[in-house]
């Protein structure tokens, strides 16, 4: 286990600067956010006469801890990529997902009735790909906001007769914010008005440059409606997956994420889980989000009962006491008693947390967060009434540099602040700046729920001044 200097300082009840000094004396150069290895921690603790054992005990109820456990290199084997399809409305996301499903649902299993469980797998000459079945970036970002990053590759569908549209740009920014590789599917090439070159040209503005033009983004022309180019798209996905070297250890207890969940009249709590590591088996004692149970039955994407699910496989399970939420993580435990204890503790903690206020980034606590050295970048989303203002604001914001904290513009757009802006802000700990625009009703509600700060302005220099003042800790209190 490792701790940062700041975390260690807190555990030892000392100032971080003191720990840094001590480390320096012991011959270790460290900064406040640096994570220390076991040796360094032991050195410092020994110096204070503190036993390390009790200091680095892990919190068993924190499911994230189980995701950080590393597998021995030799236990790792290749696993299928998990793909999300995004793009502007009507550009063909659903049609593409259908085309992929129909051409490639394993021939041998063709008799099976495909079930909508929120994800499905296809098999290309023995290599599998997992697709999340909810197109669009809402689901993607909602999951990310909950801390779950399950997508390995994003396919952005752009209609060749329509070109880059606002949600195309949103999708690109969501994928970039999550650091996930992008493949562009230029769709509807069967249409006489299709102009794939224009799409490529337009996308260069967003840093997506085709290989032929010296860039490294893969573009695949397709017609989802006619099933053309789908094979090539799948091949390219496998290619990107290979480069990413996606691996997992099938020989450990399973961990993963909830894709969707609901209450079924007959079967009780039904959840689709994506196994991210290990193998999930019927009978496994499991904690899912804030609930727990034992995997009673598992059904795959073809509606067949299965006994086990390996990494990157989606399965629908029953046997949980309550209905978890999409984006919740799950962990299989050694026995039912442990699963119950941890599940109950988590339910209890969740109850308490829901009573406490959320503490997201706001301009008021910005300086404090900066001074704790925990922030390197201030993420902003800019929405304005005209493109000119967007650009003026963006370039001025980017020039602000206080205490080495840079402003990073993660998304911009013309028009009202939408729910999607808020979910991106929540996922990226960003503040939303509106210039001559307001949040729509849904955005307002979402911002309140998520605790995302929206700042509205009508004068450019005031907007700049405010951010700069907040970064310097000189913001006038608002009454
Ligand atoms: P989504 O909103 O992105 O999921 O888009 P849909 O998949 O629902 O597609 C929107 C419309 O475009 C539908 O009427 C589709 O039939 C049509 N469409 C999708 N792909 C193609 C294509 O390759 N060629 C043509 N001509 N139409 C397409």
């Amino acid at each position: 286990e490792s701790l940062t200097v700041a975390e260690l300082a807190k555990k030892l009840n000392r100032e971080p600067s003191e720990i840094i000094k001590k480390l320096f004396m012991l011959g270790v150069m460290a900064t406040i956010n640096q994570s220390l290895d076991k040796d360094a921690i032991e050195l410092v603790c020994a110096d204070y006469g503190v036993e390390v054992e009790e200091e680095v005990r892990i919190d068993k109820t924190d499911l994230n801890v189980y995701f950080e456990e590393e597998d021995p290199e030799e236990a790792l084997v290749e696993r299928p990529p998990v793909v999300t399809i995004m793009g502007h409305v009507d550009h063909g996301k659903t049609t593409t997902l259908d085309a992929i499903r129909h051409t490639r649902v394993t021939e041998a299993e063709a008799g099976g009735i495909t079930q909508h469980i929120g994800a499905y797998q296809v098999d290309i000459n023995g290599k599998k790909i997992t697709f999340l079945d909810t197109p669009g970036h809402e689901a993607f970002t909602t999951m990310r906001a909950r801390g779950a990053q399950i997508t390995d590759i994003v396919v952005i569908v752009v209609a060749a007769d329509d070109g880059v549209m606002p949600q195309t740009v949103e999708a690109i920014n969501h994928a970039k914010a999550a650091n996930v590789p992008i493949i562009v599917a230029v769709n509807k090439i069967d249409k006489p008005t299709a102009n794939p070159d224009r799409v490529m040209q337009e996308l260069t503005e967003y840093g997506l440059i085709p290989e032929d033009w010296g860039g490294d983004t893969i573009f695949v022309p397709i017609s989802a409606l006619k099933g053309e180019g789908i094979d090539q798209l799948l091949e390219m996905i496998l290619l990107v997956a290979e480069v990413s070297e996606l691996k997992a250890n099938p020989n450990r207890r399973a961990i993963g994420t909830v894709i969707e969940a609901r209450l079924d009249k007959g079967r009780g709590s039904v959840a689709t889980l994506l196994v991210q590591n290990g193998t999930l088996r019927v009978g496994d004692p499991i904690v899912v989000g804030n609930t727990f149970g034992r995997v009673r039955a598992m059904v795959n994407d073809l509606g067949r009962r299965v006994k086990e699910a390996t990494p990157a496989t989606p399965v629908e399970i029953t046997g949980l006491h309550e209905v978890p939420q999409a984006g919740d993580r799950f962990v299989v435990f050694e026995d039912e008693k442990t699963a119950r204890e941890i599940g109950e503790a988590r339910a209890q903690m969740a109850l308490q947390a829901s009573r406490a206020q959320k503490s997201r980034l706001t301009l008021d606590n910005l300086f404090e967060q900066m001074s704790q050295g925990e922030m390197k970048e201030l993420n902003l989303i800019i929405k304005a009434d005209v493109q000119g203002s967007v650009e003026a604001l963006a370039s001025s914001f980017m020039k602000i540099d206080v205490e080495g904290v840079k402003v990073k513009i993660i998304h911009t757009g013309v028009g009202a602040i939408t729910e999607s802006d808020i979910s991106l802000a929540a996922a990226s700990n960003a503040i939303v700046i509106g210039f001559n625009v307001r949040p729509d009703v849904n955005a307002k509600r979402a911002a309140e729920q998520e605790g995302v700060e929206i700042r509205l302005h009508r004068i450019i220099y005031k907007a700049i001044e405010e951010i700069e003042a907040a970064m310097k800790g000189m913001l006038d209190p608002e009454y």
Side-chain angles (χ1 to χ4, degrees), residues 19 23 32 58 83 121 126 152 165 172 188 282 288 332 359 366 397 436:
I19 302 291
L23 280 163
I32 185 157
I58 60 163
V83 181
Q121 260 189 343
D152 302 303
M165 298 303 271
I172 294 169
K188 307 199 186 184
V282 169
V288 186
V332 167
S359 69
L366 173 61
F397 281 139
N436 282 332

PDB file of all heavy atoms in Angstrom, residues 19 23 32 58 83 121 126 152 165 172 188 282 288 332 359 366 397 436:
ATOM      1  N   ILE A  19       6.973  16.533   7.417  1.00  0.00           N
ATOM      2  CA  ILE A  19       7.247  15.199   6.853  1.00  0.00           C
ATOM      3  C   ILE A  19       8.234  15.336   5.694  1.00  0.00           C
ATOM      4  O   ILE A  19       9.155  14.532   5.550  1.00  0.00           O
ATOM      5  CB  ILE A  19       5.933  14.546   6.350  1.00  0.00           C
ATOM      6  CG1 ILE A  19       4.910  14.443   7.484  1.00  0.00           C
ATOM      7  CG2 ILE A  19       6.220  13.187   5.735  1.00  0.00           C
ATOM      8  CD1 ILE A  19       5.257  13.459   8.580  1.00  0.00           C
ATOM      9  N   LEU A  23      11.767  13.566   5.507  1.00  0.00           N
ATOM     10  CA  LEU A  23      12.135  12.698   4.384  1.00  0.00           C
ATOM     11  C   LEU A  23      13.443  13.155   3.772  1.00  0.00           C
ATOM     12  O   LEU A  23      14.308  12.356   3.427  1.00  0.00           O
ATOM     13  CB  LEU A  23      11.025  12.711   3.315  1.00  0.00           C
ATOM     14  CG  LEU A  23       9.819  11.810   3.611  1.00  0.00           C
ATOM     15  CD1 LEU A  23       8.630  12.211   2.749  1.00  0.00           C
ATOM     16  CD2 LEU A  23      10.175  10.347   3.376  1.00  0.00           C
ATOM     17  N   ILE A  32       4.421  17.217  -1.749  1.00  0.00           N
ATOM     18  CA  ILE A  32       3.253  16.919  -0.918  1.00  0.00           C
ATOM     19  C   ILE A  32       2.333  15.840  -1.496  1.00  0.00           C
ATOM     20  O   ILE A  32       1.767  15.038  -0.779  1.00  0.00           O
ATOM     21  CB  ILE A  32       2.479  18.220  -0.587  1.00  0.00           C
ATOM     22  CG1 ILE A  32       1.332  17.938   0.370  1.00  0.00           C
ATOM     23  CG2 ILE A  32       1.944  18.884  -1.841  1.00  0.00           C
ATOM     24  CD1 ILE A  32       0.889  19.142   1.150  1.00  0.00           C
ATOM     25  N   ILE A  58      -6.000  -1.200   5.651  1.00  0.00           N
ATOM     26  CA  ILE A  58      -6.906  -0.760   4.591  1.00  0.00           C
ATOM     27  C   ILE A  58      -8.344  -0.754   5.079  1.00  0.00           C
ATOM     28  O   ILE A  58      -8.710  -1.482   6.003  1.00  0.00           O
ATOM     29  CB  ILE A  58      -6.798  -1.627   3.313  1.00  0.00           C
ATOM     30  CG1 ILE A  58      -7.135  -3.089   3.611  1.00  0.00           C
ATOM     31  CG2 ILE A  58      -5.436  -1.490   2.686  1.00  0.00           C
ATOM     32  CD1 ILE A  58      -7.443  -3.885   2.375  1.00  0.00           C
ATOM     33  N   VAL A  83     -16.504  -1.151 -25.413  1.00  0.00           N
ATOM     34  CA  VAL A  83     -16.669  -0.039 -26.343  1.00  0.00           C
ATOM     35  C   VAL A  83     -17.991   0.693 -26.106  1.00  0.00           C
ATOM     36  O   VAL A  83     -19.021   0.060 -25.882  1.00  0.00           O
ATOM     37  CB  VAL A  83     -16.638  -0.564 -27.797  1.00  0.00           C
ATOM     38  CG1 VAL A  83     -16.791   0.569 -28.797  1.00  0.00           C
ATOM     39  CG2 VAL A  83     -15.349  -1.336 -28.062  1.00  0.00           C
ATOM     40  N   GLN A 121     -21.909  -8.819 -26.402  1.00  0.00           N
ATOM     41  CA  GLN A 121     -20.586  -9.186 -26.902  1.00  0.00           C
ATOM     42  C   GLN A 121     -20.688  -9.761 -28.298  1.00  0.00           C
ATOM     43  O   GLN A 121     -21.637 -10.455 -28.615  1.00  0.00           O
ATOM     44  CB  GLN A 121     -19.972 -10.248 -25.982  1.00  0.00           C
ATOM     45  CG  GLN A 121     -18.988  -9.688 -25.011  1.00  0.00           C
ATOM     46  CD  GLN A 121     -18.228 -10.753 -24.262  1.00  0.00           C
ATOM     47  OE1 GLN A 121     -18.618 -11.909 -24.216  1.00  0.00           O
ATOM     48  NE2 GLN A 121     -17.140 -10.353 -23.654  1.00  0.00           N
ATOM     49  N   GLY A 126     -12.810 -15.523 -33.052  1.00  0.00           N
ATOM     50  CA  GLY A 126     -12.266 -15.920 -31.753  1.00  0.00           C
ATOM     51  C   GLY A 126     -11.915 -14.762 -30.831  1.00  0.00           C
ATOM     52  O   GLY A 126     -11.562 -14.974 -29.679  1.00  0.00           O
ATOM     53  N   ASP A 152     -13.118   1.267 -22.753  1.00  0.00           N
ATOM     54  CA  ASP A 152     -11.729   1.282 -23.221  1.00  0.00           C
ATOM     55  C   ASP A 152     -11.582   2.059 -24.514  1.00  0.00           C
ATOM     56  O   ASP A 152     -10.526   2.607 -24.806  1.00  0.00           O
ATOM     57  CB  ASP A 152     -11.233  -0.143 -23.486  1.00  0.00           C
ATOM     58  CG  ASP A 152     -11.324  -1.013 -22.250  1.00  0.00           C
ATOM     59  OD1 ASP A 152     -10.723  -0.628 -21.240  1.00  0.00           O
ATOM     60  OD2 ASP A 152     -11.989  -2.061 -22.299  1.00  0.00           O
ATOM     61  N   MET A 165     -21.592  18.059 -35.477  1.00  0.00           N
ATOM     62  CA  MET A 165     -22.671  18.807 -34.843  1.00  0.00           C
ATOM     63  C   MET A 165     -22.361  18.945 -33.345  1.00  0.00           C
ATOM     64  O   MET A 165     -21.440  18.323 -32.848  1.00  0.00           O
ATOM     65  CB  MET A 165     -24.001  18.050 -35.052  1.00  0.00           C
ATOM     66  CG  MET A 165     -24.400  17.913 -36.504  1.00  0.00           C
ATOM     67  SD  MET A 165     -24.525  19.506 -37.346  1.00  0.00           S
ATOM     68  CE  MET A 165     -26.221  19.914 -37.036  1.00  0.00           C
ATOM     69  N   ILE A 172     -16.763  14.074 -28.234  1.00  0.00           N
ATOM     70  CA  ILE A 172     -15.298  14.120 -28.319  1.00  0.00           C
ATOM     71  C   ILE A 172     -14.723  14.596 -26.990  1.00  0.00           C
ATOM     72  O   ILE A 172     -13.796  14.006 -26.453  1.00  0.00           O
ATOM     73  CB  ILE A 172     -14.838  15.066 -29.462  1.00  0.00           C
ATOM     74  CG1 ILE A 172     -15.249  14.492 -30.820  1.00  0.00           C
ATOM     75  CG2 ILE A 172     -13.326  15.291 -29.413  1.00  0.00           C
ATOM     76  CD1 ILE A 172     -15.089  15.472 -31.974  1.00  0.00           C
ATOM     77  N   LYS A 188     -23.461   6.699 -42.925  1.00  0.00           N
ATOM     78  CA  LYS A 188     -24.412   7.078 -43.978  1.00  0.00           C
ATOM     79  C   LYS A 188     -23.705   7.381 -45.299  1.00  0.00           C
ATOM     80  O   LYS A 188     -24.134   8.269 -46.050  1.00  0.00           O
ATOM     81  CB  LYS A 188     -25.269   8.292 -43.554  1.00  0.00           C
ATOM     82  CG  LYS A 188     -25.963   8.105 -42.205  1.00  0.00           C
ATOM     83  CD  LYS A 188     -27.121   9.061 -42.015  1.00  0.00           C
ATOM     84  CE  LYS A 188     -27.691   8.936 -40.608  1.00  0.00           C
ATOM     85  NZ  LYS A 188     -28.870   9.765 -40.366  1.00  0.00           N
ATOM     86  N   VAL A 282     -21.852 -18.293 -10.266  1.00  0.00           N
ATOM     87  CA  VAL A 282     -23.091 -18.493  -9.534  1.00  0.00           C
ATOM     88  C   VAL A 282     -22.727 -18.952  -8.131  1.00  0.00           C
ATOM     89  O   VAL A 282     -21.832 -19.774  -7.960  1.00  0.00           O
ATOM     90  CB  VAL A 282     -23.973 -19.546 -10.253  1.00  0.00           C
ATOM     91  CG1 VAL A 282     -25.144 -19.959  -9.363  1.00  0.00           C
ATOM     92  CG2 VAL A 282     -24.484 -18.987 -11.580  1.00  0.00           C
ATOM     93  N   VAL A 288     -22.512  -5.181  -3.926  1.00  0.00           N
ATOM     94  CA  VAL A 288     -22.717  -4.358  -5.115  1.00  0.00           C
ATOM     95  C   VAL A 288     -23.171  -2.981  -4.650  1.00  0.00           C
ATOM     96  O   VAL A 288     -24.272  -2.854  -4.113  1.00  0.00           O
ATOM     97  CB  VAL A 288     -23.781  -4.971  -6.049  1.00  0.00           C
ATOM     98  CG1 VAL A 288     -23.881  -4.178  -7.337  1.00  0.00           C
ATOM     99  CG2 VAL A 288     -23.471  -6.438  -6.346  1.00  0.00           C
ATOM    100  N   VAL A 332     -16.573  -9.402  -5.219  1.00  0.00           N
ATOM    101  CA  VAL A 332     -16.913 -10.711  -4.669  1.00  0.00           C
ATOM    102  C   VAL A 332     -16.017 -10.970  -3.456  1.00  0.00           C
ATOM    103  O   VAL A 332     -14.834 -10.646  -3.482  1.00  0.00           O
ATOM    104  CB  VAL A 332     -16.719 -11.822  -5.719  1.00  0.00           C
ATOM    105  CG1 VAL A 332     -16.771 -13.213  -5.081  1.00  0.00           C
ATOM    106  CG2 VAL A 332     -17.776 -11.692  -6.812  1.00  0.00           C
ATOM    107  N   SER A 359     -19.582  18.020  -1.135  1.00  0.00           N
ATOM    108  CA  SER A 359     -18.627  19.115  -1.204  1.00  0.00           C
ATOM    109  C   SER A 359     -17.870  19.107  -2.524  1.00  0.00           C
ATOM    110  O   SER A 359     -16.773  18.589  -2.621  1.00  0.00           O
ATOM    111  CB  SER A 359     -17.649  19.049  -0.044  1.00  0.00           C
ATOM    112  OG  SER A 359     -16.809  17.935  -0.209  1.00  0.00           O
ATOM    113  N   LEU A 366     -12.329  27.050  -3.840  1.00  0.00           N
ATOM    114  CA  LEU A 366     -11.264  26.835  -4.827  1.00  0.00           C
ATOM    115  C   LEU A 366      -9.875  27.095  -4.245  1.00  0.00           C
ATOM    116  O   LEU A 366      -8.974  26.271  -4.356  1.00  0.00           O
ATOM    117  CB  LEU A 366     -11.509  27.738  -6.043  1.00  0.00           C
ATOM    118  CG  LEU A 366     -10.421  27.768  -7.110  1.00  0.00           C
ATOM    119  CD1 LEU A 366     -10.225  26.396  -7.708  1.00  0.00           C
ATOM    120  CD2 LEU A 366     -10.800  28.755  -8.214  1.00  0.00           C
ATOM    121  N   PHE A 397      -9.201  33.009 -20.110  1.00  0.00           N
ATOM    122  CA  PHE A 397      -9.104  32.096 -18.969  1.00  0.00           C
ATOM    123  C   PHE A 397      -7.799  31.333 -19.001  1.00  0.00           C
ATOM    124  O   PHE A 397      -7.158  31.121 -17.986  1.00  0.00           O
ATOM    125  CB  PHE A 397     -10.258  31.085 -18.978  1.00  0.00           C
ATOM    126  CG  PHE A 397     -11.557  31.642 -18.456  1.00  0.00           C
ATOM    127  CD1 PHE A 397     -12.762  31.344 -19.078  1.00  0.00           C
ATOM    128  CD2 PHE A 397     -11.586  32.446 -17.320  1.00  0.00           C
ATOM    129  CE1 PHE A 397     -13.957  31.839 -18.597  1.00  0.00           C
ATOM    130  CE2 PHE A 397     -12.787  32.946 -16.832  1.00  0.00           C
ATOM    131  CZ  PHE A 397     -13.972  32.637 -17.480  1.00  0.00           C
ATOM    132  N   ASN A 436     -24.107  35.257 -20.981  1.00  0.00           N
ATOM    133  CA  ASN A 436     -25.343  35.618 -21.677  1.00  0.00           C
ATOM    134  C   ASN A 436     -26.235  34.425 -21.975  1.00  0.00           C
ATOM    135  O   ASN A 436     -27.022  34.454 -22.914  1.00  0.00           O
ATOM    136  CB  ASN A 436     -25.055  36.361 -22.982  1.00  0.00           C
ATOM    137  CG  ASN A 436     -24.690  37.812 -22.724  1.00  0.00           C
ATOM    138  OD1 ASN A 436     -25.125  38.397 -21.727  1.00  0.00           O
ATOM    139  ND2 ASN A 436     -23.904  38.389 -23.613  1.00  0.00           N
TER     140      ASN A 436
END
